Amino acid sequence: MTSFELADLGWSPHFARQDIPDGAHPLRITAVHRDRLEAISTEGPTWLLTPEKTGLYAPGDWVLADLGRVTRRLERQSLLKRGSAADEARPQLLAANVGTLGIVSSCNADFNIARLERYLVLATDAGCLPLIVLTKADQTDAPETYVRDAERLSPLVTAIAIDATDPLEVARLEAWCRNGETLALLGSSGVGKTTLRNALTGESAATQGIREDDAKGRHTTTSRALVRTRSGGWLLDTPGMRSLSLTDVSGGIETIFEDIEALADTCRFSDCQHDTEPGCAVSQALEDGNLDADRLKRWRKLKSEERRNSETLAESRARDKGFGKMVKGAMAQKRRDRGG
């Protein structure tokens, strides 16, 4: 059985500062299942039970455990989450303690500015560095055009175009997943995430082709799990996403649309809707040609969606809290009645 040092698993001073008891052996969650967690420690892989719902954990989390049972989850350094497909008001945890989010698209019809901005909002709000990986670079005469368009989206973005079937080109990604560092891959189906995973980890997960008419593919990866890379880091591949609902990510929107947010801060009225109000800096920039109308439209859409989902999330939390109080009150009354 392979043994590791904590640093090999992604341990950092951020976790070491969290009052770890003497003799404790931290473990890192590698996969989350319905009734238990897969984890890895310095001694190798193991299974863990938890006293709370497993959905409250994400691959990449660090925990403390005793006798195979989680006793504490350590404070996260980053957390990727999205609105749940079943209930957009309740976030689905995707991954924790990821250093870099690899946003995988391709040099074909899958390349979509609005979708990329959505992923960038997710990455920056989570606390991850955004890396846009453009596959199928061998199938276009001008991959540099896609790279340029991607890097224009934010000063934070690094973009690279590669042929995912060429191991030498995929090796360029090793800089983000070596020496205990963690890279997560997100993107649509059929863009080559599984091919990248195979090259980076040495696995042989099955891949599927894409439809020629719209460049869309079928899902290959069906679950999220941390996998060791050839270069000594960790990779988290995720199922392809047909949609990405954003919840509670206002910080990410402010970062990716910093130019529009800065304009909005200079409007005459603090509650300006950036439409027909006098003294609106956003409308003026649009009129002067200093702001792209499509980008403004995408900003408005994301702001509206985030506000709606976050309000629903707050209502859901309040409802759950109220229900919990009601249950506790009923149980207390029942105990008093028994005592009487």
Side-chain angles (χ1 to χ4, degrees):
M1 178 167 34
T2 303
S3 60
F4 301 96
E5 298 292 331
L6 278 176
D8 298 331
L9 304 180
W11 188 258
S12 71
H14 170 84
F15 305 107
R17 291 192 295 265
Q18 296 186 40
D19 189 25
I20 309 299
D22 292 339
H25 299 286
L27 304 95
R28 195 173 190 196
I29 304 302
T30 55
V32 176
H33 299 276
R34 187 182 299 272
D35 60 344
R36 64 187 64 190
L37 307 171
E38 284 186 66
I40 190 166
S41 70
T42 54
E43 298 178 352
T46 188
W47 290 92
L48 295 175
L49 298 176
T50 170
E52 50 193 352
K53 295 179 180 179
T54 58
L56 297 175
Y57 297 83
D61 266 329
W62 279 96
V63 299
L64 303 180
D66 183 42
L67 299 176
R69 194 172 184 85
V70 173
T71 58
R72 177 181 155 203
R73 177 183 56 77
L74 300 186
E75 179 184 343
R76 294 161 172 143
Q77 196 162 19
S78 65
L79 176 64
L80 287 161
K81 62 185 187 298
R82 69 165 181 170
S84 168
D87 183 355
E88 293 184 352
R90 298 178 182 273
Q92 177 188 18
L93 306 188
L94 300 176
N97 304 313
V98 169
T100 303
L101 177 61
I103 302 165
V104 187
S105 184
S106 49
C107 300
N108 57 20
D110 181 78
F111 187 87
N112 182 289
I113 292 296
R115 186 191 303 134
L116 289 175
E117 286 176 337
R118 186 171 286 261
Y119 279 111
L120 289 174
V121 166
L122 179 75
T124 55
D125 187 81
C128 305
L129 292 174
L131 169 69
I132 296 181
V133 183
L134 301 167
T135 61
K136 309 186 191 301
D138 56 311
Q139 299 178 21
T140 178
D141 294 331
E144 65 279 359
T145 300
Y146 290 91
V147 171
R148 184 170 60 250
D149 289 346
E151 291 189 333
R152 282 176 177 168
L153 297 178
S154 170
L156 297 175
V157 170
T158 297
I160 60 174
I162 61 174
D163 173 4
T165 64
D166 185 338
L168 291 179
E169 291 201 25
V170 177
R172 295 167 60 190
L173 293 176
E174 292 181 354
W176 290 277
C177 56
R178 62 188 177 195
N179 302 328
E181 296 174 330
T182 304
L183 169 68
L185 300 178
L186 291 181
S188 305
S189 300
V191 294
K193 297 191 307 299
T194 303
T195 302
L196 295 176
R197 169 178 169 169
N198 289 344
L200 291 169
T201 66
E203 292 185 328
S204 56
T207 61
Q208 295 185 7
I210 62 172
R211 302 195 299 257
E212 293 183 0
D213 57 342
D214 59 6
K216 294 182 179 179
R218 300 177 180 178
H219 292 289
T220 301
T221 301
T222 58
S223 62
R224 300 181 304 277
L226 278 183
V227 183
R228 183 80 165 170
T229 68
R230 294 175 182 269
S231 53
W234 297 89
L235 180 74
L236 189 140
D237 186 13
T238 61
M241 295 184 182
R242 291 189 175 90
S243 63
L244 177 64
S245 174
L246 299 179
T247 301
D248 199 20
V249 292
S250 59
I253 295 175
E254 291 173 1
T255 299
I256 297 305
F257 292 87
E258 183 181 11
D259 55 334
I260 302 179
E261 295 280 347
L263 287 170
D265 287 341
T266 63
C267 290
R268 180 184 301 177
F269 302 108
S270 60
D271 60 347
C272 184
Q273 298 302 303
H274 318 300
D275 191 6
T276 60
E277 294 87 350
C280 175
V282 175
S283 297
Q284 188 63 51
L286 187 63
E287 183 178 337
D288 294 342
N290 296 324
L291 177 60
D292 180 70
D294 288 338
R295 179 169 169 79
L296 176 60
K297 183 178 180 180
R298 296 193 300 269
W299 174 73
R300 283 175 167 159
K301 181 179 180 180
L302 288 177
K303 293 279 281 190
S304 176
E305 176 186 331
E306 198 278 336
R307 181 167 55 249
R308 182 179 63 253
N309 288 348
S310 296
E311 287 173 353
T312 306
L313 175 61
E315 292 170 358
S316 176
R317 286 172 174 167
R319 182 172 61 251
D320 290 347
K321 186 176 181 181
F323 178 74
K325 288 183 177 179
M326 182 186 72
V327 170
K328 289 181 180 179
M331 294 298 293
Q333 183 61 49
K334 190 173 183 179
R335 286 193 294 269
R336 287 195 295 267
D337 292 344
R338 286 178 176 175

